[in-house]
Amino acid sequence: MPKPTHLAAVGVGTEAAATPGTAVPPSMWVPWKTFTPKDAVTNNEDKGVRGAPVEVYGIVQGQKSAQLDLGGDVFADSIGHVLAGLLGDVAVTGSAAPYATAFSVLCTGDTQGVSKTWTVVDPNLGAWQYPGVRINSITFKWNADGLLTWTAKGDGWTYVVLASPPAPAQGALHPFATWAITTKLGGTQIPVLEGELTIKRKVDVIKAANGTQSPYSVWGGDIGVDGKITMVMEDSTQRNIYQASTVQSLDVSCTQGAGATANGLQLHCSQIYYPEATPNPGKEYWELPISFKAIANPTDAGASGGYSPIKATLTNALPAGTYK
């Protein structure tokens, strides 16, 4: 008999910095639309000739790892675990709710994103965990209709069974309506038809002969930010900015609630440029599709200093220690 997917709960927890890959219980539950794991098991074929016209005489199992495809609507609490899992620098300000948590590129120490354990709890199939996951890409999408969404990919260790899973406890926050999102270029708000921003990082699953089938390390490399925006073309301002190769800022912001329950997300790039911006007369009005790429700079850096192409700031009721 088939088993329903809608009963499954997905949680995430922060691993100790000294022991990445050691599974921990979930500290937060994540409303999800996509959770697609890919288990990667290496099978080494024994092809040693034994006097028969055959190809394979057996297999010897090699190392294991896993890849995750994640996604859903943006909530101002759980999305912080995804951002921390890629960027690594986490700084919290505020003495009481609402707190502001800023995520930037970690430029000291090992420079890695925060290692996370992702847990699946299903009442029919049991519970299992993917430890040692570091995120290699996050994409935010918005338009005039619907909700602000995110998708992400991550690499980590192979799954382990969780014998005694905790009971899922979902949060009380709401996702963000996209009509309320403000997008600014150079400090000026623009009318966005469709927007997309991607933070990406090359992540290597390092396999070594070290006495275990688990990876030696899940290691993140350089970080970049790019995206695209299709806007209503009211004048030639942004087209001229492209023609002049002018560097300017980008802000994508959404907020809701008030007082201690206020929550929101701001994606801020102090410096972006346009690789392309060509007017499109394909509808009854002019559109201007632009592609952008962020330039790393000290302004967007976090507590670790250095450079960062983006600073993402969450506002919520969660204090320091929640994401790292």
Side-chain angles (χ1 to χ4, degrees), residues 141-148 177-181 192-195:
K141 290 185 178 182
W142 67 101
N143 53 29
D145 299 310
L147 301 174
L148 176 63
T178 50
W179 63 263
I181 294 174
V192 173
L193 301 171
E194 292 182 337

Side-chain angles (χ1 to χ4, degrees), residues 254-266:
C254 50
T255 59
Q256 58 189 2
T261 62
N263 60 94
L265 171 66
Q266 181 186 33

Side-chain angles (χ1 to χ4, degrees), residues 20-22 40 61-66 131-132 156-160 205-218:
T22 301
Q61 194 175 77
Q63 290 193 321
K64 301 179 180 181
S65 60
W157 293 24
T158 192
Y159 77 90
V160 294
V205 178
I206 302 175
K207 297 181 179 180
N210 61 342
T212 173
Q213 287 182 284
S214 298
Y216 169 72
S217 179
V218 178

Side-chain angles (χ1 to χ4, degrees), residues 110-198:
D110 63 7
T111 72
Q112 296 300 294
V114 181
S115 187
K116 302 286 184 176
T117 296
W118 288 84
T119 300
V120 182
V121 177
D122 186 284
N124 294 303
L125 298 177
W128 61 99
Q129 298 182 294
Y130 293 91
V133 175
R134 287 195 166 109
I135 301 299
N136 62 55
S137 71
I138 311 167
T139 297
F140 296 94
K141 290 185 178 182
W142 67 101
N143 53 29
D145 299 310
L147 301 174
L148 176 63
T149 64
W150 67 278
T151 56
K153 296 180 181 295
D155 295 281
W157 293 24
T158 192
Y159 77 90
V160 294
V161 174
L162 181 60
S164 301
Q170 302 292 342
L173 296 183
H174 299 290
F176 297 98
T178 50
W179 63 263
I181 294 174
T182 59
T183 304
K184 295 181 179 181
L185 291 170
T188 300
Q189 186 170 337
I190 60 169
V192 173
L193 301 171
E194 292 182 337
E196 181 176 315
L197 183 148
T198 298

